[in-house]
Amino acid sequence: MKTFALSLMFLFTINGIAQSVGINWISVAEAEKRMAKEPKKVLIDVYTDWCGPCKMMNSSTFQDPEIVNYINKHYYAVKFNAEGNDVVTLKGNSYKNQEFDPARVGGRNGTHDFTKNIAPVNGRIAYPTIVYMDENFQILSPVQGFYKSDQIKPILTFFAENIYKTKTWQEYSGN
């Protein structure tokens, strides 16, 4: 009996570790495909390769086991390079980077049309931007800036648990 209990503890520990290994980042196309079977909110991390705060969020906030587990449970998570060259199709609309120059290596490469469509706040694009969407890919809010785990958790909860439907952010956050 003791061996059985230890085996169960080991399995739960392994399972807990497996769940917090990392965020299950997928493409926009994969999120759209999965949405048809199991609707969830969508979180799109809009980043660039040269963005320091993007790298900091990736190596700290998005590595926190509590944040990883929460995002994986409640969201389809998409990591999107705002200056990449991928063609993105969402809800029948295609987007590309009109300014992409393959000769530019390691530098800024123009802003992707998808970024221009989903990430502006007051007409301005900044990195990182986390775009929160509902189950129909309607933008709930783009949120710009670096957030630590304790700062992003209330935002994740606000959208995932539909609090935004009954309260404003100011009412919910006390700001």
Side-chain angles (χ1 to χ4, degrees):
M1 188 67 172
K2 191 175 184 181
T3 306
F4 177 72
L6 287 174
S7 296
L8 277 178
M9 278 179 35
F10 178 74
L11 285 174
F12 286 125
T13 302
I14 294 296
N15 190 30
I17 291 170
Q19 288 180 2
S20 65
V21 166
I23 294 174
N24 297 325
W25 298 109
I26 59 176
S27 67
V28 172
E30 183 63 24
E32 192 170 32
K33 181 178 169 184
R34 290 183 187 187
M35 191 70 79
K37 293 179 184 176
E38 182 186 353
K40 284 186 182 183
K41 299 289 188 297
V42 178
L43 173 153
I44 301 179
D45 175 23
V46 182
Y47 73 97
T48 65
D49 291 334
W50 50 263
C51 168
C54 299
K55 292 175 184 179
M56 288 175 19
M57 260 187 98
N58 209 34
S59 65
S60 61
T61 308
F62 291 147
Q63 298 303 314
D64 180 311
E66 182 182 357
I67 299 302
V68 169
N69 288 335
Y70 194 86
I71 289 173
N72 286 341
K73 180 177 180 181
H74 296 282
Y75 290 91
Y76 290 121
V78 174
K79 189 166 274 299
F80 185 73
N81 184 344
E83 296 180 347
N85 194 32
D86 295 341
V87 174
V88 175
T89 302
L90 178 62
K91 296 176 76 172
N93 297 311
S94 288
Y95 306 90
K96 65 182 184 176
N97 188 339
Q98 309 274 348
E99 305 166 41
F100 187 82
D101 180 358
R104 257 187 234 147
V105 178
R108 297 179 183 206
N109 216 334
T111 304
H112 198 288
D113 288 348
F114 189 62
T115 302
K116 292 175 185 177
N117 192 47
I118 67 169
V121 174
N122 297 322
R124 185 178 151 262
I125 296 173
Y127 307 110
T129 295
I130 307 298
V131 180
Y132 296 89
M133 295 181 163
D134 69 11
E135 297 83 354
N136 296 310
F137 291 98
Q138 297 299 308
I139 297 171
L140 299 173
S141 183
V143 178
Q144 296 176 339
F146 171 83
Y147 287 86
K148 294 178 184 176
S149 299
D150 62 331
Q151 295 170 316
I152 201 169
K153 177 68 178 190
I155 302 169
L156 292 168
T157 304
F158 182 71
F159 293 115
E161 298 179 16
N162 295 320
I163 297 166
Y164 71 94
K165 291 183 177 182
T166 58
K167 292 184 179 182
T168 66
W169 172 250
Q170 289 74 22
E171 292 169 334
Y172 173 69
S173 67
N175 290 332

